[in-house]
Amino acid sequence: MTGGEVAGILVAVFWAILVSFLAVVLVRLAQTLRATTRLVADVTEQAVPLLAEASSAVRSAQTQLDRVDAIASDVQEVTSNASALSTTVASTFGGPLVKVAAFGYGVRRALGRKGEDAPPEDTRRTVIVGRTVPGARRKKRKG
């Protein structure tokens, strides 16, 4: 055998080894692709029902939000009606009630002073640290 034939045999052997390694790699790659395909199919089978349930939940939440919106608008209307009623009652009865209360206070004061025409004895005021204190409080403080 000549040197060229030996070199040709060596190249053929290395080539066969290379092709064998490539064949193993391609077989492994095919297995990985099959497993990936199965995984994607399984995920798709599980994801479709989950998406349907999520869509149903979103629809239900939207329905509930619509109901809450209707309730809130009704509450706002009731609040404005109550405010208007309160204003009406205050303006209708408030003035006369204040006048009756003032009249009653005046009558009480007039009846209370009927026997005492003289003013009270101690009407002086005392100034304590920049504040005016009526005589009644001054007596309480001393005691």
Side-chain angles (χ1 to χ4, degrees):
M1 265 207 279
T2 63
E5 291 175 347
V6 172
I9 290 176
L10 284 176
V11 168
V13 168
F14 285 125
W15 183 256
I17 293 173
L18 179 66
V19 168
S20 298
F21 284 131
L22 286 176
V24 169
V25 168
L26 286 176
V27 167
R28 298 285 178 136
L29 181 63
Q31 290 174 350
T32 303
L33 286 176
R34 273 193 295 264
T36 303
T37 302
R38 271 187 257 122
L39 181 65
V40 168
D42 291 344
V43 167
T44 302
E45 287 176 10
Q46 293 175 2
V48 170
L50 287 176
L51 289 175
E53 289 177 16
S55 176
S56 172
V58 167
R59 280 191 212 104
S60 174
Q62 182 62 38
T63 302
Q64 294 300 324
L65 284 174
D66 290 341
R67 288 180 185 169
V68 167
D69 188 37
I71 291 170
S73 65
D74 291 343
V75 167
Q76 184 179 7
E77 184 178 338
V78 167
T79 303
S80 65
N81 289 343
S83 175
L85 178 64
S86 171
T87 303
T88 302
V89 167
S91 65
T92 303
F93 297 114
L97 284 178
V98 169
K99 290 177 183 175
V100 167
F103 178 74
Y105 178 73
V107 168
R108 242 182 313 148
R109 292 278 300 215
L111 291 178
R113 289 190 179 202
K114 190 176 185 181
E116 41 177 271
D117 291 333
E121 305 171 0
D122 192 14
T123 58
R124 294 181 315 161
R125 295 186 178 258
T126 305
V127 176
I128 299 176
V129 191
R131 299 174 84 186
T132 302
V133 179
R137 278 189 61 198
R138 184 181 50 211
K139 288 178 184 174
K140 286 182 184 176
R141 262 202 170 148
K142 288 180 180 178

